[in-house]
Amino acid sequence: MKFKRIIAVFMAFLLVMPSFLVSAEKNDSSSEDTEALGKGSFSEKHEVVYAKLNATGDQQEMYVVNNFNIKEPGKIVDYGPYMSVQNLTDLTKIEQNNGRIELTAKEDEFYYQGDLEDQSLPWDINVSYTLNGETLTPEELLGKDGGLKIQIDTAQNKEANPIFFNNYLLQITLKLDSKIYENMKAPNGTVVNAGKDRQVTFTVMPEKQGSFTLTSDVTDFEMESIEFAAIPSSMSIDKPDVGEMKKDMNSLSDATSEINKGVGELKNGITELNNGVASLYNGSEQYKNGINELSNGSADLVEGSASIHASLQQMSESINKGSSDMNLSDFKKMEDGLRQLAGGLKETEKGLTNLEDQYSQSQNALSQSIESIPASNISEKDIQALYKSGADQKVVDQLVETYKAAQKTKKTYESVKEAFNAVGPALEKSAGSLNEMSASLTTMADNLGNNLENMNVDQSMKELQKGLQALSSNYNDFHSGLKNYTNGVNELSTSYSEIHGGIAELTKGTQELENGSAELHNGTSELASSTSDLPEQMQKEIDQMVNEFDKSDFDPVSFVSTKNEKVTSVQFVIKTESIKKVEEKEEEPQEKEKQGFWDRLLALFR
């Protein structure tokens, strides 16, 4: 029986042996074919850079998967500062010597992996975690509940080739379990549903730093890896058609120019108004000073007139008593008194004449100043249009207030103009009356002197008595009128002080208005200047923006070595380590040691 088993095993061995011989022959043939291959070539090379970070963004591991599209099978040379390399296509050995990688490719595509140690990513990545306002490490955060804030910041790594930072779009993705995370908010990010989970995505444009925040309420905190994918921003951006917009900008530019022109004219008008008001103030000041001087001199004038009136009455009473009580010396004194009265009236006449001249000059100055205020009629519609023009609201308010005050002053003057005009002729008439009285007194004194020489005393006394009575009667009327006139002058002086105060306020307001209109014109001039070439500025900004983000002319370069050629694409796949609890594994029963073919074969004979 045992003999039969030996025979069976031997027969089986004979059946199996040819397959081993064939396999060995095939391997020998493959080795010979590999050695027979010469220099190969490839049409494209692709690099995918894989990097692993810890949960806060510090780099831990990095390797590159290189892919070649083989054009001619054979030996291919690549470059990279790898610590080690691994063939991912077949079992042929890859030679590595001082950054020079030599491999043999037989298929249409060939893959190999190279492990890097000191290569830096183009981005500095930092991830921080805050729970209920307190910064925690990932280990401290694990399993906690509360208000979570995740801060992700990216910036250029100055130690890496800047070409990737300047031309690559960086996409950041977080996959969050909806059972753990609730009330998620991600400003500047996108939150979408991904099955039972939620996916949050942030995007960093080329040449830009990124700063993103995710907030959420968490229960029993855990988190999957944060993924960072970087690809070239090679999309082409077509320049928009801005023809219609440029037409609108031209209209806006023309409108601002017109506004500036209108504000310039407004400023000139306000300047003219302010100059007129300043002239008005100067004329008003002269008039006020003149009327005050007239008012101050009124008391002396009335007092002097009263003295003259008393003297005339005294002389008239003395004459009425009769010439018997008078001697020649008394007549001589009377003649001298008459001449003194005549001289006093003459001086008073000169004072009134001088006063009339001063009043006339002041009144003319005031009239010219009032007339210099423009009589332009600005309607309420024009005022509302000015408010809607975009001009400074405060300046427009001052303009409208000053315009109304100026027009009110002009109308007020028109209503009292006749009273002002009547003062000059009244002064002139009073001066004329005084002149007549002075002449009469002089005539009386002359007659008295002549009669004294002729010694016709009785006849002289009668004529003198008659003249003095007439003169005293007329002078009484004059003195009453003079008192009424001076009272009116005093009232006019008091009232005009208030008018002058209003004109002073008006002058101050128009000066502020002129300053405000000058500032407004400076602002509209600057606006008109800045918008004069607005369409060209807009086109320039659009071109600059398109050029900034259009990377369609970017030519890829190798991440690992500048010696590598025909690099068609380089991509980055970066992940942080997950933050998860360690699962306890159940002990598995020990498996029996597996038996090889010869062990099982020999077991048949036991």
Side-chain angles (χ1 to χ4, degrees):
M1 184 71 178
K2 191 174 183 180
F3 177 73
K4 289 182 178 180
R5 286 183 178 179
I6 293 173
I7 294 298
V9 171
F10 181 72
M11 294 298 293
F13 178 76
L14 291 177
L15 290 172
V16 174
M17 185 58 71
S19 65
F20 283 100
L21 294 175
V22 172
S23 177
E25 182 179 357
K26 183 176 181 181
N27 286 336
D28 291 342
S29 174
S30 175
S31 177
E32 291 175 359
D33 291 343
T34 299
E35 293 178 0
L37 290 174
K39 183 179 180 181
S41 64
F42 60 93
S43 57
E44 294 179 353
K45 183 195 175 187
H46 306 274
E47 295 177 359
V48 181
V49 182
Y50 294 88
K52 183 178 179 181
L53 315 177
N54 66 13
T56 59
D58 295 328
Q59 185 175 322
Q60 292 181 328
E61 300 176 8
M62 183 187 294
Y63 64 90
V64 180
V65 173
N66 299 278
N67 166 235
F68 297 88
N69 290 344
I70 302 302
K71 187 175 180 181
E72 293 289 339
K75 294 185 182 299
I76 303 293
V77 176
D78 197 36
Y79 297 91
Y82 302 116
M83 293 186 302
S84 60
V85 293
Q86 181 180 352
N87 189 335
L88 303 178
T89 305
D90 52 36
L91 301 177
T92 56
K93 187 178 180 181
I94 298 178
E95 300 292 337
Q96 181 181 10
N97 183 20
N98 292 329
R100 187 176 188 274
I101 313 300
E102 187 175 311
L103 53 93
T104 302
K106 296 179 292 182
E107 306 295 337
D108 291 340
E109 287 192 279
F110 187 89
Y111 293 86
Y112 84 92
Q113 174 180 322
D115 299 325
L116 296 167
E117 183 177 19
D118 297 326
Q119 195 88 346
S120 297
L121 286 168
W123 299 270
D124 281 331
I125 298 173
N126 181 65
V127 185
S128 60
Y129 306 85
T130 304
L131 187 70
N132 299 327
E134 181 182 0
T135 301
L136 299 177
T137 65
E139 294 77 12
E140 294 171 333
L141 189 61
L142 187 63
K144 294 287 196 309
D145 303 339
L148 173 69
K149 176 183 175 183
I150 302 175
Q151 179 71 37
I152 303 174
D153 298 308
T154 65
Q156 182 181 6
N157 187 343
K158 302 295 184 179
E159 297 179 0
N161 188 341
I163 194 171
F164 299 102
F165 178 81
N166 293 335
N167 292 278
Y168 273 56
L169 188 96
L170 185 64
Q171 182 170 297
I172 307 169
T173 305
L174 297 88
K175 293 181 180 178
L176 307 173
D177 189 340
S178 57
K179 295 179 181 178
I180 299 175
Y181 297 83
E182 293 181 344
N183 303 320
M184 282 178 282
K185 294 182 181 179
N188 302 319
T190 303
V191 181
V192 297
N193 292 324
K196 296 184 297 181
D197 299 331
R198 306 293 295 279
Q199 181 171 296
V200 181
T201 304
F202 301 105
T203 302
V204 184
M205 299 301 292
E207 301 183 76
K208 302 296 180 182
Q209 296 183 354
S211 182
F212 306 102
T213 301
L214 169 69
T215 59
S216 176
D217 296 328
V218 295
T219 304
D220 193 15
F221 174 79
E222 285 188 345
M223 192 173 74
E224 298 286 348
S225 300
I226 302 176
E227 299 180 2
F228 300 81
I231 59 174
S233 177
S234 57
M235 59 182 177
S236 178
I237 302 176
D238 295 330
K239 294 183 179 180
D241 184 5
V242 294
E244 290 298 323
M245 191 182 299
K246 288 176 72 174
K247 289 181 180 178
D248 294 338
M249 292 299 102
N250 278 323
S251 299
L252 175 61
S253 179
D254 293 341
T256 54
S257 178
E258 287 297 320
I259 290 175
N260 181 54
K261 182 179 178 182
V263 171
E265 294 175 354
L266 173 65
K267 172 181 170 293
N268 294 336
I270 292 174
T271 300
E272 183 179 348
L273 171 64
N274 186 47
N275 292 338
V277 171
S279 298
L280 169 64
Y281 177 80
N282 293 333
S284 177
E285 181 75 14
Q286 293 179 19
Y287 181 80
K288 182 178 77 71
N289 294 337
I291 201 69
N292 286 341
E293 183 179 347
L294 179 60
S295 177
N296 294 334
S298 294
D300 295 337
L301 184 63
V302 171
E303 184 178 351
S305 178
S307 298
I308 294 173
H309 187 217
S311 298
L312 286 173
Q313 287 181 337
Q314 183 179 1
M315 291 177 66
S316 179
E317 291 174 357
S318 298
I319 294 299
N320 288 335
K321 290 179 180 179
S323 61
S324 60
D325 297 331
M326 301 181 65
N327 54 36
L328 292 177
S329 62
D330 291 332
F331 285 107
K332 187 62 178 176
K333 291 179 180 178
M334 185 179 294
E335 179 186 356
D336 294 340
L338 289 174
R339 295 191 185 280
Q340 289 178 3
L341 283 175
L345 290 178
K346 196 67 178 176
E347 289 298 321
T348 302
E349 178 208 348
K350 290 180 180 179
L352 284 178
T353 302
N354 184 44
L355 184 61
E356 191 271 334
D357 291 339
Q358 292 180 357
Y359 177 84
S360 178
Q361 292 175 6
S362 300
Q363 200 264 339
N364 287 336
L366 177 63
S367 178
Q368 291 175 1
S369 299
I370 293 291
E371 291 174 357
S372 68
I373 298 177
S376 304
N377 184 20
I378 301 177
S379 66
E380 187 64 28
K381 183 178 179 181
D382 295 333
I383 293 174
Q384 293 302 320
L386 185 59
Y387 274 114
K388 294 178 181 179
S389 68
D392 190 313
Q393 192 84 2
K394 185 177 179 181
V395 173
V396 176
D397 288 341
Q398 290 179 341
L399 173 63
V400 173
E401 183 180 353
T402 303
Y403 166 74
K404 291 181 178 179
Q407 295 305 312
K408 182 178 180 181
T409 301
K410 195 173 182 71
K411 289 180 180 179
T412 301
Y413 179 76
E414 289 296 328
S415 65
V416 298
K417 186 177 181 180
E418 291 183 4
F420 285 158
N421 291 339
V423 173
L427 289 173
E428 185 177 1
K429 184 177 180 181
S430 298
S433 299
L434 289 176
N435 184 49
E436 292 178 1
M437 293 179 190
S438 176
S440 298
L441 289 173
T442 301
T443 301
M444 292 170 64
D446 291 342
N447 291 334
L448 181 60
N450 293 331
N451 289 330
L452 287 175
E453 291 177 0
N454 298 326
M455 296 300 295
N456 189 1
V457 176
D458 291 335
Q459 182 65 29
S460 298
M461 289 296 294
K462 290 179 181 180
E463 292 178 359
L464 178 61
Q465 181 179 10
K466 183 179 178 180
L468 285 175
Q469 287 177 349
L471 181 62
S472 178
S473 176
N474 292 334
Y475 196 85
N476 185 54
D477 295 337
F478 170 78
H479 183 69
S480 298
L482 183 63
K483 287 199 297 183
N484 293 333
Y485 164 74
T486 54
N487 290 336
V489 168
N490 290 336
E491 291 178 3
L492 179 61
S493 175
T494 302
S495 301
Y496 194 79
S497 293
E498 298 178 3
I499 296 175
H500 183 69
I503 293 175
E505 288 296 322
L506 176 64
T507 304
K508 182 180 178 182
T510 56
Q511 182 61 55
E512 292 178 356
L513 182 61
E514 182 178 6
N515 296 337
S517 66
E519 292 179 7
L520 177 61
H521 188 236
N522 291 337
T524 55
S525 296
E526 185 176 350
L527 176 62
S529 176
S530 61
T531 58
S532 61
D533 59 344
L534 190 58
E536 290 75 17
Q537 291 181 26
M538 182 186 66
Q539 186 66 58
K540 184 178 179 181
E541 291 292 331
I542 291 174
D543 293 344
Q544 183 177 349
M545 188 179 299
V546 169
N547 293 334
E548 182 179 358
F549 292 105
D550 187 349
K551 307 294 182 180
S552 57
D553 58 346
F554 169 66
D555 293 325
V557 297
S558 173
F559 174 69
V560 291
S561 176
T562 56
K563 296 180 181 179
N564 291 332
E565 300 176 347
K566 300 179 182 179
V567 178
T568 304
S569 69
V570 177
Q571 300 180 35
F572 295 84
V573 179
I574 308 166
K575 285 187 176 184
T576 64
E577 62 184 1
S578 60
I579 306 174
K580 288 191 172 184
K581 299 175 183 176
V582 178
E583 296 182 1
E584 296 182 359
K585 295 183 179 180
E586 296 182 0
E587 290 188 5
E588 297 180 358
Q590 278 190 336
E591 294 182 357
K592 293 182 179 180
E593 187 178 349
K594 293 183 179 181
Q595 293 180 328
F597 171 78
W598 293 109
D599 293 327
R600 292 194 300 272
L601 181 62
L602 292 174
L604 295 176
F605 300 97
R606 296 190 183 115

